[in-house]
Amino acid sequence: MVKVLMVCLGNICRSPLAEGILRSKVDQSNIFVDSAGTGGWHIGELPDARSIEIAKQNQINISDQRCRKFKVNDFEDFDFIYVMDRSNLSDVLLLAKTETHRNKVKMILNVKEGERAMEVPDPYYGGERGFEKVFILLDEACEHIAKSLSYEK
Ligand code: 4NP
């Protein structure tokens, strides 16, 4: 079983979408996908209603997800840890104790050649359009991740 963790700040907007999108593209008997946030404000809550809605419009249900905080043990439990922006990257890397842990962490939009240092913008304080943009960016990134994992549906 390959284990992939999606990480953002709140674990209610971007990483729940990334989790749902990647799940929809892989064989879930071979690949386990989860998500977490570096901040703890929304623990136990459902994803943001706007993330649930944009996922639903794309035939993906993320309403069974519940927010949790990223924990140091996630470095042991997961093979790949994808973060959304540079701030997530530094927050997660601060908790890494070994080079092996550090090497598991990648910016999710860097999976695509030539798009280094691109960030998934935080849509929390914006409108619906922000969530559409986030969905498109994550859909493309997850397509690449699914291919790289070679367990496409
Ligand atoms: P996310 O967005 O990191 O994509 O889940 C945010 C959600 C909530 C907050 C910040 C970002 N917040 O400050 O509560």
Side-chain angles (χ1 to χ4, degrees), residues 42-95:
H42 300 280
I43 294 169
E45 292 178 20
L46 272 75
D48 187 284
R50 296 164 295 179
S51 283
I52 292 177
E53 179 57 29
I54 191 74
K56 196 173 160 194
Q57 284 170 20
N58 289 276
Q59 293 75 50
I60 295 170
N61 176 25
I62 61 166
S63 65
D64 53 350
Q65 295 183 31
R66 294 297 177 272
C67 175
R68 77 165 175 91
K69 197 172 176 191
F70 179 83
K71 53 186 193 292
V72 174
N73 224 43
D74 288 327
F75 287 115
E76 292 295 327
D77 291 344
F78 289 87
D79 304 294
F80 300 97
I81 298 171
Y82 290 108
V83 299
M84 304 294 132
D85 61 30
R86 280 185 215 99
S87 163
N88 308 149
L89 184 67
S90 58
D91 288 344
V92 168
L93 288 179
L94 268 177
L95 299 171

Side-chain angles (χ1 to χ4, degrees), residues 12-28:
I12 56 169
C13 298
R14 292 166 293 176
S15 59
L17 270 178
E19 176 187 334
I21 293 168
L22 186 60
R23 279 190 180 189
S24 75
K25 293 180 188 293
V26 298
D27 175 355
Q28 291 187 61

